[in-house]
Amino acid sequence: MSVTVDGDKSESVPSRMSRLLRGPRAEKVPSLVGTACTFIGLIDIAAGVFPRFRTSRMHAVAEVLPGTLGPLSAALSLGVGVLLLLLAHGLKRHKRRAWRAAVILLPVGAVAQFVYRHSVIGVLFSLLLLALLLRHRGEFAALPDPRSRWKALANFVLMGAGSIALGLVIVSAHPGKVVGSPGLSDRLEHVLYGLFGVEGPVGYRGGVDWTVGYSLGALGLLTAITTIYLAFRPEHPVARLTEDDESRLRALLDKHGGRDSLGHFALRRDKGVVFSPSGKAAVCYRVVSGVMLASGDPIGDVEAWPGAIERFMDEAKAHSWTPAVMGCSETGGEVWTRETGLDALELGDEAVVDVADFSLTGRAMRNVRQMVKRIERNGYTTRVRRARDLSDGELERIRRAAADWRGTDTERGFSMALGRIGDPADGDAVIATAHKEDPDSPYGDLKAIIHFVPWGTDGMSLELMRRDRSADPGMNELLIVAALQASPKLGIERVSLNFAMFRSALARGEKLGAGPVLRVWRGLLVFLSRWFQIESLYKFNAKFQPRWEPRFVVYRNARDLPRIGFAAMQAEGFVDLAPPRPFRRRSPAATARPCAHLAPRGEHEVRTA
């Protein structure tokens, strides 16, 4: 049996699935090689640092490993050991450059074994490892990750700190050979001098000073070489959405944008995109810490999704990135898992309000109704308009207010944020504003902002919430109600609100008769809500009596989940590993104000009356 993807004949289903699922098998050799490099590196470092180790039985094994090289054995053991540790992770990730470095390092180690130790066994062992790498060279074909020269600074700081720490161990590893009783400051000074190849204040007997000096010099040289390499290697910038990519995505959204409420967020300009062979579908993504993170469902024709997903998986394999999808729908999760063999886990629920069913009447809406009436009595008014209907001056004032009212210095959001307001290409976006005269405000009567992006032709999806901190509590409720009430005039039939993470666990855990495990899980979520607004966001959404649409995270295996979670936290802006702000380059999305999975879209503060 064969399948047709994007109108093209493809291979049989069994062979196609075998090709997509062979990744774990192909990882065995690189994983073993990487683990071996880690083990050998640690042995080489130990052989160079601890004198007792060099006379133990373990050292008899270590002598046949690359890195133990005659009179300079300590320094070379340290150097080769550190390099192998640095290469191990790249080898596990199938990186071609790591393979090349290992292939160069092993012959150098073999020659050194023969020249300095005349060790035939050491030469043979090095050549065997080299043969293993050459035999499986096809497994090491992954392309480089996106990178910048800021990694050179990070390498200098981390390698420098590691070299100082390891240098203190080296200086202190020969207590019986030390002249006098040098203190910690003397030892630290000796390390710092030694990293630059200069003799320090600590003296040794029996030729140990040569061993310590060469070892410290090797660490300093490694720090310098790796930093210089990272500083002068060519940059590989992160993929960005080009003008052509954006125009193609907008064409797909015009035809199929009504299917997924997160579709318009694919137009964030700090994302990359892969298209299906026919161009009828696309997957948008960002690479964060080696994780290729897609968001929402693929864009375009559902029948063409498999082709876009296959391109996504091929791109992930080419760079040895970990594939993952955040916030896809149930339909999207089914297609992803069927086409790739990945697993899916329910992440939470999206709150969707059907405009025709929304009303402020009834007991269930009593709190919202009272809050809105109280705010209106305090003199607040609202306006709900398409972005194209606002003047340039008013749009600029809204943008400046949104930036100033942001709660943190970090721009947050990825999967449920557009990252800009008032772009001419986003004229269909809806902006709701709250107003009250305030002569002391630099923004006049503007007090709160809510920004919605299009969801097809008859829907809109909440993207951003901002308010003046001096405004009355309840601005968000006021503007959401105003937007829902104005929706019929704008031709809007459905409105997507915030994403509530782990909503079902919170809802079931607070019911009568909930089991102990569910109660403990709910208690943990409530505890985490002190930092991530998990419970408060769920309760905020529930005020508007929405229907709940489940959203899923798609992943390769369970051991990838911590890494995917950390990458998602980075993408959403909760973890910032970028350089300090004075040294940071301006991002193309610097004018963006995204939302986050773990906080209300737009990072607004949830407050109740």
Side-chain angles (χ1 to χ4, degrees), residues 228-239:
I228 292 172
Y229 166 73
L230 293 173
F232 289 98
R233 67 177 178 172
E235 285 192 281
H236 287 254
V238 177

Side-chain angles (χ1 to χ4, degrees), residues 404-563:
D404 288 346
W405 295 341
R406 185 174 64 237
T408 65
D409 292 333
T410 303
E411 292 286 352
R412 289 183 177 175
F414 165 66
S415 57
M416 299 178 183
L418 184 61
R420 58 184 182 267
I421 301 177
D423 190 285
D426 301 320
D428 287 338
V430 175
I431 298 178
T433 53
H435 303 266
K436 184 181 180 181
E437 289 298 331
D438 185 355
D440 298 328
S441 174
Y443 308 108
D445 62 350
L446 185 62
K447 287 297 180 181
I449 305 163
I450 289 187
H451 184 231
F452 296 88
V453 299
W455 175 10
T457 58
D458 61 351
M460 61 184 184
S461 186
L462 178 60
E463 191 265 344
L464 172 146
M465 285 182 171
R466 294 288 169 75
R467 69 176 185 84
D468 188 338
R469 296 298 176 182
S470 65
D472 292 354
M475 288 291 103
N476 298 322
E477 289 87 341
L478 172 68
L479 288 180
I480 287 179
V481 169
L484 290 170
Q485 291 177 338
S487 290
K489 295 181 180 179
L490 299 173
I492 303 297
E493 298 179 1
R494 51 189 178 161
V495 177
S496 170
L497 299 179
N498 296 303
F499 174 81
M501 194 170 187
F502 303 122
R503 181 207 64 88
S504 58
L506 290 169
R508 293 196 304 266
E510 64 184 359
K511 289 183 178 180
L512 183 66
V517 175
L518 190 56
R519 288 184 180 274
V520 170
W521 175 226
R522 182 183 180 277
L524 177 61
L525 293 176
V526 172
F527 174 75
L528 294 175
S529 295
R530 299 180 181 181
W531 296 277
F532 298 117
Q533 290 190 333
I534 299 174
E535 183 186 31
S536 58
L537 181 54
Y538 156 58
K539 291 183 176 180
F540 177 83
N541 290 330
K543 292 180 181 180
F544 304 97
Q545 303 298 307
R547 56 182 170 88
W548 299 99
E549 297 289 342
R551 291 280 173 173
F552 299 83
V553 56
V554 177
Y555 59 98
R556 185 166 54 188
N557 50 59
R559 67 174 179 270
D560 289 335
L561 284 176
R563 186 179 181 187

Side-chain angles (χ1 to χ4, degrees), residues 24-356:
R25 296 180 181 177
E27 288 182 355
K28 289 184 178 180
V29 171
S31 179
L32 289 174
V33 171
T35 302
C37 283
T38 301
F39 177 71
I40 294 172
L42 292 174
I43 289 180
D44 284 342
I45 291 173
V49 173
F50 301 106
R52 292 183 180 178
F53 177 83
R54 292 198 296 274
T55 59
S56 65
R57 291 185 178 181
M58 182 62 74
H59 181 61
V61 177
E63 282 195 347
V64 301
L65 301 177
T68 309
L69 306 172
L72 303 178
S73 60
L76 291 175
S77 290
L78 282 171
V80 173
V82 171
L83 288 174
L84 289 177
L85 289 178
L86 294 175
L87 292 174
H89 182 64
L91 291 172
K92 288 183 178 181
R93 294 187 59 207
H94 307 248
K95 291 300 182 180
R96 188 69 175 179
R97 289 178 181 247
W99 177 86
R100 289 173 179 170
V103 167
I104 293 173
L105 180 62
L106 288 172
V108 171
V111 172
Q113 287 277 9
F114 182 76
V115 171
Y116 289 107
R117 295 191 58 82
H118 308 291
S119 173
V120 177
I121 296 179
V123 172
L124 291 177
F125 193 88
S126 298
L127 294 179
L128 284 175
L129 288 176
L130 177 62
L132 179 65
L133 286 174
L134 293 175
R135 170 66 178 81
H136 296 280
R137 61 184 178 276
E139 302 292 342
F140 302 91
L143 301 175
D145 289 342
R147 59 182 183 243
S148 72
R149 292 187 176 91
W150 284 112
K151 290 190 176 181
L153 177 61
N155 177 83
F156 177 77
V157 173
L158 295 177
M159 283 285 291
S163 296
I164 292 174
L166 188 55
L168 286 174
V169 175
I170 295 171
V171 170
S172 305
H174 309 271
K177 301 292 185 178
V178 178
V179 176
S181 301
L184 179 60
S185 60
D186 293 328
R187 296 173 189 269
L188 181 59
E189 183 179 354
H190 192 87
V191 171
L192 294 176
Y193 277 117
L195 293 177
F196 289 93
V198 179
E199 185 177 355
V202 180
Y204 297 91
R205 294 184 296 268
V208 175
D209 53 342
W210 287 96
T211 301
V212 173
Y214 278 124
S215 299
L216 294 176
L219 289 176
L221 186 62
L222 281 177
T223 302
I225 289 176
T226 55
T227 301
I228 292 172
Y229 166 73
L230 293 173
F232 289 98
R233 67 177 178 172
E235 285 192 281
H236 287 254
V238 177
R240 302 290 182 183
L241 206 64
T242 65
E243 292 184 4
D244 179 64
D245 293 336
E246 185 174 339
S247 62
R248 293 176 67 183
L249 286 174
R250 288 186 182 276
L252 293 177
L253 289 172
D254 288 341
K255 295 181 180 179
H256 308 283
R259 206 209 57 78
D260 185 15
S261 65
L262 306 186
H264 201 84
F265 298 125
L267 299 176
R268 278 185 66 98
R269 288 160 186 164
D270 56 357
K271 290 183 178 181
V273 61
V274 289
F275 290 90
S276 65
S278 67
K280 295 180 180 179
V283 175
C284 295
Y285 68 92
R286 185 193 295 174
V287 178
V288 183
S289 296
V291 176
M292 191 175 183
L293 199 62
S295 58
D297 292 343
I299 307 299
D301 188 354
V302 176
E303 297 297 325
W305 282 7
I309 291 173
E310 182 178 352
R311 288 283 179 87
F312 177 88
M313 296 299 292
D314 288 343
E315 189 77 5
K317 182 181 178 183
H319 294 83
S320 191
W321 292 329
T322 300
V325 185
M326 298 294 293
C328 66
S329 68
E330 188 170 1
T331 300
E334 289 176 352
V335 177
W336 274 100
T337 54
R338 183 183 70 240
E339 295 297 324
T340 65
L342 301 178
D343 291 326
L345 179 67
E346 185 173 343
L347 190 62
D349 295 88
E350 177 187 14
V352 179
V353 177
D354 294 313
V355 173

